[in-house]
Amino acid sequence: MESVDYSIKDFGRWSVYTPDTLPEWANSIGGFRPSFCRNDAGEDWYQFRNDASNFQVGALIAIVDPRPDGTEVITGVWADRSEMAVPFNFRVIEIIGVPEQEKPHRLFENRIYDPATRTIGGSIVPEAISNSLGEALPDWRFFTQLAIDGIITAEEAEATSSGEMPRLMK
C-alpha cells in the first residue's frame, strides 16, 4: 500500500432494525421505505451520519465487511459521508489524515482491516458472488442498491455477506 500516514476511529458495527415510528422525512420520499441501522449504543445511522460533530473534516469514511473466515475487509470508501451506503451489519471507520486525492477509495478498498490494532493491511481479491446458474454477480453494492430500491429487504441484502441469496434469485 502507498505510504500514507493516517489514524483510524472505529464506530463499530451497525445492525438493521425497524424503528417504532418512522421519522417524518422517511414518509416524504415517494413510496421508498428506507432501511435503518443502529450501533450497539442504539444510535440511528441517519442521525449519526448527519451529525457533523461525529466526523473530522476531510476524513474518509469506510465500511468494513465481516467475512465468514473472521477477516474484515474494507469494501467502500467515501470522502462525502452523505453519499455513503447504509452499513447493513458492517463496521464503520473513519480514516483520518489522508491527503486529499481524486480517488481515495483506491488506497483502501479491498484491504484487510484489523479492529484490534486499528490498522489496514494487505489487499485481497474481491470474492465473486454467483447466482443459482453459476453466473457471477457484482459485489455487495449490487445487493445494497436492490435493498435501497425496495426490491429486496435489508435483511436479505445483509445475508448476502454470508452467501445467502435473496428470495428473488433462488
Side-chain angles (χ1 to χ4, degrees), residues 24-35:
E24 188 174 315
W25 61 263
N27 294 317
S28 64
I29 49 180
F32 164 71
R33 186 168 182 332
S35 296

Side-chain angles (χ1 to χ4, degrees), residues 13 18 26 32 58 82 84 88 90 92 98 135-136 153 155 157 170:
R13 278 205 207 296
T18 302
F32 164 71
S82 69
M84 188 175 170
F88 301 118
F90 290 91
V92 176
V98 178
E135 300 165 327
T153 66
E155 291 80 9
K170 290 183 180 178

Side-chain angles (χ1 to χ4, degrees), residues 57-137:
V57 174
L60 300 174
I61 307 300
I63 59 175
V64 182
D65 181 8
R67 300 295 170 97
D69 67 1
T71 59
E72 299 202 23
V73 179
I74 297 173
T75 55
V77 178
W78 293 265
D80 180 351
R81 71 181 184 280
S82 69
E83 296 175 357
M84 188 175 170
V86 179
F88 301 118
N89 199 32
F90 290 91
R91 179 181 301 279
V92 176
I93 62 173
E94 180 178 42
I95 307 169
I96 304 162
V98 178
E100 191 172 323
Q101 314 227 352
E102 184 178 338
K103 297 182 180 182
H105 64 281
R106 289 188 175 169
L107 290 173
F108 299 103
E109 279 186 346
N110 298 317
R111 296 198 176 274
I112 296 172
Y113 172 67
D114 182 346
T117 60
R118 294 190 180 179
T119 56
I120 297 171
S123 182
I124 65 151
V125 176
E127 295 176 28
I129 299 173
S130 60
N131 64 16
S132 60
L133 301 175
E135 300 165 327
L137 296 175

